[in-house]
């Protein structure tokens, strides 16, 4: 058993290192290509922030092993980086949609933050935390297109039926998990 644990840790460490090397190669390659093609840094800044977001989700958890507030810290970093990414895209494209993009991102992050806070600071069972996460995600799934249409002032001609179907499935799974958890208590 110890041999298997050691093997697992070695494979995990190698995968983590390969992933980080991939991030570094991606950053260096895009930096060079952007300078060679455009003779200045433009789209590289978008790639850089995107890679930082990816690293925050895949790499930071490795460094925060056993940290009680790991999800809170990662969510904080990702939230800041997403707003930075929207700013950089708006700046590079000389757009005037920054406030609109911030409103849409805030709508989605509102549900994410409620979920992270519930999962971090409550003592409820893991199944119930997952159920709550799925219910919050179902709201985001159904209402994000509506919020985008309202904020961007466009007519929403697309059908929301696939999103509603996904949300119903998520809510059904949530209720099944809650029922299972309540039956386990009895």
């Amino acid at each position: 058993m110890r041999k298997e644990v050691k093997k697992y840790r070695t494979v995990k460490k190698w995968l983590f290192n390969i992933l980080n090397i991939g991030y570094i190669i991606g950053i260096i390659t895009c930096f060079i290509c952007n300078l060679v093609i455009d003779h200045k840094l433009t789209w590289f800044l978008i790639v850089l922030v995107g890679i930082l977001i990816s690293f925050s989700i895949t790499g930071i958890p490795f460094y925060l092993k056993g940290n009680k507030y790991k999800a809170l810290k990662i969510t904080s970093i990702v939230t800041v980086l997403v707003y930075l990414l929207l700013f950089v895209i708006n700046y590079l494209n000389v757009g005037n949609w920054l406030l609109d993009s911030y409103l849409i991102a805030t709508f989605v992050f509102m549900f994410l933050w409620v979920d992270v806070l519930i999962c971090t600071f409550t003592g409820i069972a893991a199944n119930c935390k997952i159920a709550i996460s799925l219910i919050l995600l179902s709201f985001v799934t159904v209402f994000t297109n509506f919020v985008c249409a309202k904020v961007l002032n466009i007519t929403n001609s697309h059908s929301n039926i696939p999103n509603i179907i996904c949300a119903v499935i998520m809510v059904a799974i949530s209720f099944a998990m809650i029922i299972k958890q309540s039956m386990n208590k009895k």
Side-chain angles (χ1 to χ4, degrees), residues 115-143:
D115 185 37
V116 168
L117 292 173
I118 288 171
C119 291
T120 301
F121 294 111
T122 63
I124 59 178
N127 282 347
C128 291
K129 288 180 181 180
I130 294 169
I132 290 168
S133 298
L134 286 172
I135 290 169
L136 290 170
L137 183 59
S138 69
F139 279 103
V140 172
T141 302
V142 170
F143 293 109

Side-chain angles (χ1 to χ4, degrees), residues 2 36 52 59 94 99 115 134 152 185:
R2 286 183 181 159
V36 168
L52 289 174
V94 192
L99 180 61
D115 185 37
L134 286 172
L152 300 174
K185 284 185 178 180

Side-chain angles (χ1 to χ4, degrees), residues 38-57:
D38 296 334
H39 305 293
K40 62 182 177 178
L41 291 180
T42 54
W43 54 265
F44 166 75
L45 300 173
I46 297 170
V47 172
L48 179 63
V49 177
I51 289 175
L52 289 174
I53 292 170
S54 296
F55 176 77
S56 298
I57 295 168

Side-chain angles (χ1 to χ4, degrees), residues 14-144:
W14 272 98
L15 289 174
F16 179 73
N17 289 333
I18 289 170
L19 185 64
N20 287 337
I21 290 168
Y23 288 143
I24 292 167
I25 290 170
I27 289 171
I28 293 170
T29 304
C30 290
F31 177 80
I32 292 169
C33 288
N34 193 197
L35 284 179
V36 168
I37 294 169
D38 296 334
H39 305 293
K40 62 182 177 178
L41 291 180
T42 54
W43 54 265
F44 166 75
L45 300 173
I46 297 170
V47 172
L48 179 63
V49 177
I51 289 175
L52 289 174
I53 292 170
S54 296
F55 176 77
S56 298
I57 295 168
T58 61
I60 291 179
F62 186 80
Y63 294 112
L64 296 176
K65 289 184 242 177
N67 189 306
K68 179 180 177 183
Y69 302 109
K70 176 172 34 176
L72 196 62
K73 291 175 180 179
I74 293 168
T75 305
S76 299
I77 293 167
V78 169
T79 300
V80 169
L81 288 173
V82 167
Y83 284 113
L84 177 62
L85 178 64
L86 293 171
F87 175 79
V88 168
I89 293 170
N90 185 69
Y91 175 76
L92 291 174
N93 291 312
V94 192
N96 60 354
W97 48 266
L98 185 62
L99 180 61
D100 294 342
S101 65
Y102 278 3
L103 288 172
I104 294 166
T106 302
F107 172 76
V108 174
F109 277 126
M110 178 177 66
F111 288 95
L112 175 65
W113 273 101
V114 166
D115 185 37
V116 168
L117 292 173
I118 288 171
C119 291
T120 301
F121 294 111
T122 63
I124 59 178
N127 282 347
C128 291
K129 288 180 181 180
I130 294 169
I132 290 168
S133 298
L134 286 172
I135 290 169
L136 290 170
L137 183 59
S138 69
F139 279 103
V140 172
T141 302
V142 170
F143 293 109
T144 299

